[in-house]
Amino acid sequence: MGEFSGSLKGEAVVAVEQLEAPVTIGVEAYLSPDYARAERDRLWRKTWLQAGRVEDIPEVGNYITFDILDDSIIVVRTGPDTVQAHYNVCPHRGRRLIDTPPGARNARGKKMRFVCGFHSWTFDLQGNCVHVPERDHWQGMLGDESTHLASVKCDTWGGWVWISMDPDAVPLRDYLEPAATLLDPFQLENMRCRWRKWIVFDCNWKVAMEAFDETYHVPGTHPEFMAFGDFPGWARNQGLHSNIGYDAPKTMDANQQAKLRIGTGDARISTAEMQVFTWEAANTNTTRTLVDAAIRLKDELPEGTPSGEVLQHWLKSARAADEARGVFWPVVEPSHNAKAGTAWQIFPNFQIGHAVNNMLCYQARPYKADPDRCIFEASVYELYPQGEAPETEWEYTPPEAWPPVLQQDFANMAAVQQGMKNGGFRGTQPNPYRERAIPSLHYNLAKYMGTGAPQKLG
């Protein structure tokens, strides 16, 4: 995998502290077919990957599949408190044990045995081969080792199942730090999906993820939000991972910054308008309870109430309204909230946009090793009263059927992928403060891929 001749040449970044200065990133990781093919062995088979929600496999025998390029994994509940993962392939002749239904994102169901559709070799939930037709023909040479389904490392955190195909992978908790510690107080495992959508999209998976790795794009991409205030943000490297957040308004203590933004001007009115717009145009990052509590602000607070007090009253009112219907938010100290930021980019391809009562998550994966295409998915979660969470499935959704705000992001994603092929483009030049999550991603990618490290600019 070589460098593109049109890239801005510079000294490679070799220390994470250097990401605080301006850098440039070449286009190889986005456009090179060789790079895309090499990701299978160097990246996807070497990292921990989010493979699904724990609540999708609530009973023994429930399973889901997760596919990444040539690899397909079965994640199955093997006991009340145990989940295991196996490669989705029969060790006899290599046929998949579970096929994905046409048009579906993945397979999901319940079985107490996995039976190969080719020759009926049969496996229990733990991957043991329990039936081989005419086994005696192998003259006693079919042992447990050669017939057991190949195992995949599997663990849970945050309500998700995570898998790693690397037998030498570090424990999941170690891999996720410091994100795990900073996100644990939000009790993400208690949230349930309100909607989840996926699409095969015309851009590289990195372009898709990077579209949501910063708030620098809000004024240019989502100008409607600027009527409610400014959205300046920061981004920080966090080891393998990164997080982003908003700069606290000058009139508000830094520890009060939160995922839930307060409007400017008459904060009572602008906050309500922003919440209604977010609910209708994005259908993310808020809940009906928060919207209704924001609408009540003009009646519950006098004109001229400082924005910090508006924020505290709004959250207190919404929390009380949720508690009245059996929904209890975790309590997160403001100083911790400030450190956690508003979203985490979990290396390599998962984003968690967290709050105390809702979250928005993105994931992107390569599509058939085509550098110009990816599988992009988004899911929105919130807290529900016990037993009242909706049943949701992954819905394939064409671009025009996504919420309007996300359609604005999609327009950028497709245009960036095409624009990077332009002979006049010399490599990205991300904002060192607001977009640092992007060079952070490539700094870590280069450790796995052996190429593509950010270069010092200038």
Side-chain angles (χ1 to χ4, degrees), residues 271-406:
T271 298
E273 292 174 345
M274 180 168 56
Q275 282 292 299
V276 170
F277 178 78
T278 301
W279 181 261
E280 294 177 350
N283 200 12
T284 64
N285 298 131
T286 191
T287 68
R288 189 69 244 180
T289 301
L290 283 167
V291 174
D292 291 341
I295 293 172
R296 295 194 300 268
L297 288 172
K298 67 181 186 301
D299 300 320
E300 296 176 348
L301 295 174
E303 185 176 355
T305 301
S307 59
E309 294 180 22
V310 172
L311 173 63
Q312 295 307 313
H313 179 90
W314 172 37
L315 297 182
K316 182 178 179 181
S317 174
R319 183 186 288 268
D322 261 353
E323 288 180 356
R325 68 187 188 99
V327 171
F328 300 92
W329 305 1
V331 175
V332 181
E333 291 297 320
S335 59
H336 186 96
N337 212 4
K339 293 177 183 177
T342 64
W344 280 81
Q345 294 74 45
I346 305 299
F347 185 83
N349 68 324
F350 186 48
Q351 183 178 93
I352 304 170
H354 60 282
V356 292
N357 63 348
N358 72 92
M359 65 177 167
L360 166 62
C361 297
Y362 298 115
Q363 182 167 263
R365 291 171 282 153
Y367 180 75
K368 296 183 178 180
D370 183 347
D372 289 329
R373 305 188 79 190
C374 72
I375 299 169
F376 176 78
E377 50 198 50
S379 50
V380 168
Y381 300 77
E382 65 178 85
L383 296 171
Y384 289 93
Q386 185 68 32
E388 294 185 19
E391 289 289 333
T392 62
E393 298 287 346
W394 285 102
E395 299 179 3
Y396 188 87
T397 307
E400 66 274 10
W402 287 69
V405 169
L406 288 175

